[in-house]
Amino acid sequence: MSGEKSFDVLNKIFKPKKYEEIQNIKGYTIKYGFIVDNNEIIDEVLVSYFKAPKSYTTENMCEINTHGGNIIVRKILELCLKNGANLAEPGEFTKRAFLNGRIDLLQAESVIDIINSKSEKEVKTGIKQLEGNLSNKIKEIKQEILDVMVNVDVSIDYPEYDVEEVTNKQILDMLNNVQKKLENLEKSFDNGKLIKEGIKTAIIGKPNAGKSSLLNAILKEDRAIVTEYEGTTRDTIEEFVNIEGIPLKLIDTAGIREAKDEVEKIGISKSKEIAQNSDLLIAIFDSSKQLSEEDYEILDIIKDKKSIILLNKCDLNSILNENDEIFKKITKNIIKISALNGQGLEELYSTIEKMFNLNEINLDNDIIITNIRHKNLISNAIENVKKSKKTIEDNMPIDVVAIFIKDILEDLGNITGEVVTENIIKEIFSKFCLGK
Ligand code: GDP
């Protein structure tokens, strides 16, 4: 429970073994006792006390640790409600921490990212954001924009001083600097998106090339953490596989599986559609057989995309091999594998890692944007920087420059939540689960 009256509610339902007046109980204390309903003992519990402002929400808070199990937890929750507490909305604890100024919006959003993380890399970027690395960067940029603003204001307020030439040059330099920093952040989203959403990967190949065998081999890897969830289109399943830090989002895995039972397998047109939607195409060929018409069509689909060619069934006599011109002219990533015995899987993973430079990212030092909301606001800010520069270069009145510069400040303020609207706050926190 959090809020001014949380201890009042607690006092009505908690009988500590050793009673103490609430004002004598220090924050960060745990007390042992019983939850009671009209003298009837409901459970033996531990209660932690947090006193304002030193708590998650900065309000008075207490946490009741009960024995597990739905019935007791429910009963105690009902008791709290009956005695004056309100049920928290999704994300309400974190929202209060934000509204009370303990954390900014970026940090609040990182809490949900950490909770929903599917890989260690994602957790790490979330933790860094919670620590405030992105907030500090945004603050730094904001300060620079404020400095620009000061220069602009001087020109507006004292036009009689003929300092315009110098000032304009200075302002342009400062804006260029800001632009570079914003662009670096914007660029980090390429990696951030991969970290958060996984590398959208499709396995394509003609029937019997070994798609489902490969899928199974990947999913069965000891080191793979697999999360299955519904795909964006109805009836598709997407699987998030995280193998030693390589986050792969395997798309249309249901298609690959279902194809087993159906007469009609995934056709070329469907493969084309999937190819449109992926970051990486893994094209698989049966290396024990000559290339067929369908194989050529698949090569055609992958030729302009980021792709890996797998020559499968290398445990059999190979007819196709990695030096074949037909493959080499499409990609240098050609790997012999056997989906059956797992040969070549390691090379597949290290190739993916190299292609996406995932190990080049230094999660300790690099600031990485993983959230599309932040990315869009940063892109807006960059546009406004460009507009400001243009107005200066076009010798527009300095008041006009000031307008765009204010817009940059607003974009940045929206990221950290200083000027954010009620609706956006609502939307952000609605993504939380209850009681977080
Ligand atoms: P899909 O239609 O592309 O999903 O192909 P499957 O994964 O169902 O494989 C078709 C057939 O090839 C099955 O009988 C597999 O057991 C076999 N197969 C798949 N990969 C290999 C491999 O690496 N070596 C051998 N010898 N057989 C394989």
Side-chain angles (χ1 to χ4, degrees):
M1 286 186 282
S2 178
E4 218 182 321
K5 297 198 181 126
S6 48
F7 294 147
D8 296 344
V9 177
L10 181 72
N11 278 341
K12 292 187 202 160
I13 62 171
F14 178 53
K15 291 278 165 280
K17 190 93 177 169
K18 221 175 93 202
Y19 182 78
E20 259 180 290
E21 290 292 334
I22 188 73
Q23 59 267 27
N24 297 332
I25 301 175
K26 288 206 188 93
Y28 294 95
T29 301
I30 297 178
K31 286 187 83 66
Y32 167 75
F34 299 94
I35 295 290
V36 293
D37 182 11
N38 286 330
N39 291 329
E40 182 198 347
I41 291 181
I42 305 296
D43 194 16
E44 177 193 37
V45 297
L46 292 171
V47 173
S48 321
Y49 293 80
F50 304 91
K51 289 199 155 174
K54 292 192 170 174
S55 76
Y56 187 72
T57 58
T58 77
E59 299 165 352
N60 280 337
M61 281 186 79
C62 58
E63 286 184 13
I64 305 171
N65 287 269
T66 78
H67 287 109
N70 278 337
I71 302 207
I72 290 177
V73 173
R74 240 203 140 80
K75 178 99 191 164
I76 295 176
L77 190 60
E78 275 164 15
L79 263 181
C80 293
L81 298 178
K82 204 169 84 184
N83 285 284
N86 293 322
L87 199 60
E89 286 168 19
E92 188 164 353
F93 287 87
T94 310
K95 187 175 174 180
R96 287 189 182 200
F98 162 64
L99 292 175
N100 294 335
R102 191 179 69 81
I103 54 175
D104 65 18
L105 198 53
L106 278 171
Q107 292 169 307
E109 286 174 294
S110 70
V111 173
I112 185 167
D113 285 345
I114 293 166
I115 294 169
N116 292 335
S117 282
K118 297 176 291 304
S119 72
E120 278 178 38
K121 280 198 169 68
E122 202 184 342
V123 171
K124 199 152 182 183
T125 48
I127 297 278
K128 284 280 157 192
Q129 193 173 312
L130 182 60
E131 278 177 1
N133 73 346
L134 182 54
S135 309
N136 290 338
K137 189 78 197 174
I138 299 287
K139 261 187 225 144
E140 175 192 316
I141 297 175
K142 203 174 145 201
Q143 188 53 51
E144 286 178 37
I145 290 290
L146 285 170
D147 292 345
V148 174
M149 200 69 188
V150 170
N151 277 278
V152 169
D153 282 346
V154 167
S155 299
I156 294 176
D157 295 344
Y158 303 100
E160 66 276 18
Y161 295 108
D162 196 15
V163 289
E164 207 164 299
E165 286 282 291
V166 185
T167 317
N168 279 359
K169 167 89 177 59
Q170 261 174 8
I171 294 176
L172 273 179
D173 283 349
M174 291 166 101
L175 285 172
N176 278 328
N177 206 16
V178 164
Q179 185 177 340
K180 216 178 284 156
K181 288 186 181 177
L182 286 170
E183 281 171 349
N184 280 341
L185 282 180
E186 188 187 40
K187 222 171 102 222
S188 76
F189 184 68
D190 291 345
N191 283 327
K193 193 165 160 262
L194 292 182
I195 289 173
K196 186 161 184 171
E197 293 173 15
I199 302 165
K200 272 205 222 163
T201 307
I203 301 172
I204 59 173
K206 72 174 175 194
N208 282 322
K211 295 179 295 297
S212 61
S213 306
L214 175 68
L215 179 66
N216 286 332
I218 295 175
L219 297 180
K220 270 196 212 120
E221 277 278 306
D222 282 346
R223 300 157 304 164
I225 304 167
V226 184
T227 329
E228 201 175 277
Y229 53 100
E230 267 175 46
T232 34
T233 43
R234 220 155 41 90
D235 299 335
T236 63
I237 293 180
E238 287 167 355
E239 265 150 311
F240 195 98
V241 191
N242 179 25
I243 302 166
E244 288 186 325
I246 311 173
L248 289 187
K249 182 181 188 178
L250 296 166
I251 56 178
D252 204 56
T253 52
I256 296 175
R257 291 211 172 110
E258 274 160 24
K260 285 279 85 170
D261 314 317
E262 286 173 13
V263 184
E264 201 177 340
K265 308 245 180 181
I266 298 185
I268 293 295
S269 64
K270 173 83 177 164
S271 298
K272 271 188 194 150
E273 195 187 309
I274 295 171
Q276 290 291 336
N277 269 319
S278 33
D279 305 315
L280 171 67
L281 289 174
I282 298 181
I284 182 162
F285 301 91
D286 181 343
S287 68
S288 70
K289 296 218 170 76
Q290 292 291 356
L291 289 177
S292 68
E293 196 55 40
E294 279 167 294
D295 287 325
Y296 283 107
E297 289 191 61
I298 284 167
L299 286 170
D300 195 52
I301 292 175
I302 67 169
K303 74 173 189 289
D304 301 319
K305 302 273 292 181
K306 252 191 174 153
S307 60
I308 296 177
I309 289 175
L310 296 183
L311 303 178
N312 190 31
K313 311 197 187 180
C314 71
D315 52 297
L316 303 177
N317 277 339
S318 298
I319 292 180
L320 311 173
N321 73 69
E322 62 263 52
N323 293 321
D324 294 347
E325 268 316 307
I326 179 91
F327 299 131
K328 274 165 63 177
K329 70 179 185 208
I330 290 184
T331 171
K332 61 178 191 328
N333 307 309
I334 307 164
I335 305 165
K336 282 184 148 179
I337 68 152
S338 165
L340 213 57
N341 67 23
Q343 203 182 320
L345 279 182
E346 283 300 323
E347 197 181 338
L348 171 62
Y349 302 143
S350 63
T351 303
I352 297 173
E353 208 169 332
K354 266 185 240 136
M355 286 171 85
F356 290 88
N357 281 333
L358 287 176
N359 276 354
E360 310 261 299
I361 309 171
N362 181 341
L363 292 175
D364 288 320
N365 294 321
D366 297 352
I367 297 175
I368 295 169
I369 294 203
T370 58
N371 185 313
I372 185 80
R373 189 184 80 84
H374 307 158
K375 148 80 167 50
N376 287 341
L377 286 165
I378 284 170
S379 302
N380 274 353
I382 293 172
E383 278 315 301
N384 284 323
V385 172
K386 286 181 183 161
K387 282 182 193 156
S388 318
K389 279 165 51 182
K390 177 117 189 12
T391 48
I392 295 173
E393 282 155 3
D394 291 353
N395 282 321
M396 306 265 274
I398 200 81
D399 313 47
V400 182
V401 183
I403 293 171
F404 289 121
I405 290 179
K406 285 211 181 85
D407 286 346
I408 306 172
L409 284 176
E410 195 169 313
D411 294 328
L412 298 179
N414 256 305
I415 299 179
T416 50
E418 285 156 72
V419 295
V420 82
T421 65
E422 185 67 31
N423 274 346
I424 291 180
I425 293 178
K426 224 184 200 161
E427 194 192 312
I428 289 171
F429 288 98
S430 69
K431 293 184 198 134
F432 274 74
C433 13
L434 275 178
K436 287 280 159 42

